[in-house]
Amino acid sequence: MPPEARRPAAGAAVLRPDVTDAIRDAVLQELAEVGYGRLSIERVARRAGVGKAAVYRRWPSKLPIVLDVVSGLAAQSLPTPDTGSLYGDVRALLDVTAKVLQHPMAAQILPDLLAEAARSPELGQTLQSALREAQHGIVTAMVGRAADRGELAARPDPDVAMDLLAGPLYWRLMLDRTRLPAAYLDRLANAVVAALAAAE
Amino acid sequence: MPPEARRPAAGAAVLRPDVTDAIRDAVLQELAEVGYGRLSIERVARRAGVGKAAVYRRWPSKLPIVLDVVSGLAAQSLPTPDTGSLYGDVRALLDVTAKVLQHPMAAQILPDLLAEAARSPELGQTLQSALREAQHGIVTAMVGRAADRGELAARPDPDVAMDLLAGPLYWRLMLDRTRLPAAYLDRLANAVVAALAAAE
């Protein structure tokens, strides 16, 4: 084997994956603690226990790191519920969505990023495609099965279906972080099932 | 008239209402431009064309000014639609809500404040009562009239009703600020009417 095959090509740095992971974790923790606006490469490096150069070798600036970390999170999509009935699936999806949105990290990071997205079209675009892609697969599988079972006469418009499943919970939890009774989720699930049947 | 009646009591500063209005406007503009996190009394005073003392004579710090300005805005509540049918009322309310949420100032300020509310319970509490009080009156009047007309067999749970009317639009507009076709609003209105009938 010629010697150069054992060495990385000139300019291609060897990036230790454990350092990359530590930086990613630090970005998430900083996003939750101080928010996008006050996050800095210096703070991220300090929290990750690395030098600023280690960060800059991987990402050129703050926006690309955040885009990268957020896309990675959204790609770990929720499991699609498959309970055998549309009501059961909707109720299960509302339950897991509520848990995700109430997780202290998501509860802080998501509203921050959505607020920042109004100022940064690039961040807005990444958030939109990451979140909607994750949502789209779950929702179309769920309503597709319901249509196959004859529970829905027609497939609902996917945009309306996604917004009905995520929107009410998000709005509720943004305004009131303290309570989310099971009776509320039961009623909302009933209402969303009726709405899906009318949203073609 | 004795001379002291023409003078304010000792300690009660005379606050010119035009200066108060200029400060309130400056707060809104700063919230839209730099967000809650970066807003400062100094920036507000500069934008309003007054000294910092003029601000401090009215409010002791940043949080109370913002609470005051936001409560004032929310109190200018939307008119309750009264078209004669539940579908007509829902469609009209979605239309006006979409316009408000897409207004450049609301589109920037509301997500910022909701993000900040996760860090400031006092701000969260004020936002919650201001927004939900405004919403509650409109929604209960609307579904009350629909129940009286026999369009709804029972009055839907007000929490679920409010979240169905505001949540899907808010979620959609946070993620996608560019498009909101009339066909989407028509479908969403149909879906929400069906949901309200199932949300008792």
Side-chain angles (χ1 to χ4, degrees):
Chain A
M1 185 189 288
E4 63 273 22
R6 273 177 278 146
R7 275 187 273 142
V14 181
L15 300 177
R16 282 173 49 193
D18 56 328
V19 172
T20 306
D21 287 348
I23 297 173
R24 285 174 185 280
D25 281 352
V27 169
L28 276 178
Q29 287 166 21
E30 285 290 307
L31 279 176
E33 199 175 301
V34 302
Y36 181 89
R38 282 164 272 192
L39 179 144
S40 70
I41 300 287
E42 188 161 353
R43 292 184 60 112
V44 165
R46 198 182 318 134
R47 192 185 277 265
V50 302
K52 282 201 281 178
V55 181
Y56 285 119
R57 267 199 295 278
R58 290 162 172 86
W59 296 278
S61 63
K62 164 171 150 174
L63 183 61
I65 304 190
V66 172
L67 296 181
D68 190 4
V69 168
V70 168
S71 306
L73 269 195
Q76 299 167 8
S77 58
L78 307 174
T80 306
D82 190 4
T83 64
S85 78
L86 181 57
Y87 176 84
D89 286 357
V90 167
R91 184 65 180 73
L93 186 60
L94 292 178
D95 207 53
V96 76
T97 306
K99 285 200 177 65
V100 168
L101 292 176
Q102 286 182 297
H103 184 282
M105 202 154 281
Q108 184 60 71
I109 291 178
L110 193 55
D112 256 354
L113 290 179
L114 287 172
E116 201 63 32
R119 296 197 178 86
S120 160
E122 201 180 351
L123 179 59
Q125 195 53 51
T126 303
L127 268 180
Q128 185 189 326
S129 30
L131 289 171
R132 291 200 88 82
E133 261 164 43
Q135 244 199 312
H136 194 270
I138 296 175
V139 170
T140 50
M142 219 171 81
V143 302
R145 279 198 309 267
D148 293 345
R149 283 190 301 257
E151 289 189 88
L152 291 174
R155 274 158 214 256
D157 178 88
D159 282 337
V160 175
M162 289 191 284
D163 297 340
L164 284 167
L165 282 157
L169 266 187
Y170 186 74
W171 177 249
R172 151 76 33 169
L173 289 170
M174 281 304 93
L175 284 184
D176 182 354
R177 291 156 194 278
T178 53
R179 299 165 298 129
L180 204 65
Y184 170 87
L185 289 173
D186 294 342
R187 280 197 201 98
L188 182 58
N190 267 320
V192 169
V193 167
L196 290 173
E200 15 166 342
Chain B
M1 186 188 288
E4 64 271 23
R6 271 177 279 147
R7 273 187 274 143
V14 181
L15 301 176
R16 281 172 49 194
D18 57 327
V19 172
T20 306
D21 287 348
I23 297 172
R24 285 174 185 279
D25 281 352
V27 168
L28 277 178
Q29 289 166 20
E30 284 291 306
L31 280 175
E33 200 176 301
V34 302
Y36 181 89
R38 282 164 273 193
L39 179 143
S40 70
I41 300 287
E42 187 159 355
R43 292 184 60 112
V44 166
R46 198 181 320 133
R47 191 185 277 266
V50 301
K52 282 203 280 177
V55 181
Y56 284 120
R57 267 199 294 278
R58 289 162 173 85
W59 296 279
S61 64
K62 165 171 148 173
L63 182 62
I65 304 190
V66 172
L67 297 181
D68 189 8
V69 169
V70 168
S71 305
L73 270 194
Q76 299 167 9
S77 57
L78 305 173
T80 306
D82 190 5
T83 64
S85 78
L86 181 58
Y87 176 84
D89 286 357
V90 167
R91 185 66 180 74
L93 186 61
L94 291 178
D95 207 53
V96 75
T97 306
K99 287 200 174 67
V100 168
L101 292 175
Q102 286 182 298
H103 185 282
M105 201 154 280
Q108 184 60 71
I109 291 179
L110 194 54
D112 256 353
L113 290 179
L114 288 172
E116 199 62 34
R119 295 197 180 86
S120 160
E122 199 179 351
L123 179 59
Q125 194 53 50
T126 302
L127 269 180
Q128 184 190 325
S129 31
L131 289 171
R132 291 199 88 82
E133 261 165 43
Q135 244 198 312
H136 193 270
I138 296 175
V139 170
T140 50
M142 219 172 81
V143 301
R145 278 197 310 265
D148 293 344
R149 283 189 302 257
E151 287 189 88
L152 291 174
R155 275 158 215 256
D157 177 88
D159 282 338
V160 175
M162 289 190 284
D163 297 340
L164 284 166
L165 282 158
L169 267 187
Y170 186 75
W171 178 249
R172 152 77 31 171
L173 289 170
M174 280 306 94
L175 284 183
D176 182 355
R177 290 155 194 281
T178 53
R179 300 165 298 130
L180 203 64
Y184 170 86
L185 289 173
D186 294 342
R187 280 197 200 97
L188 182 59
N190 267 319
V192 169
V193 168
L196 290 174
E200 19 165 337

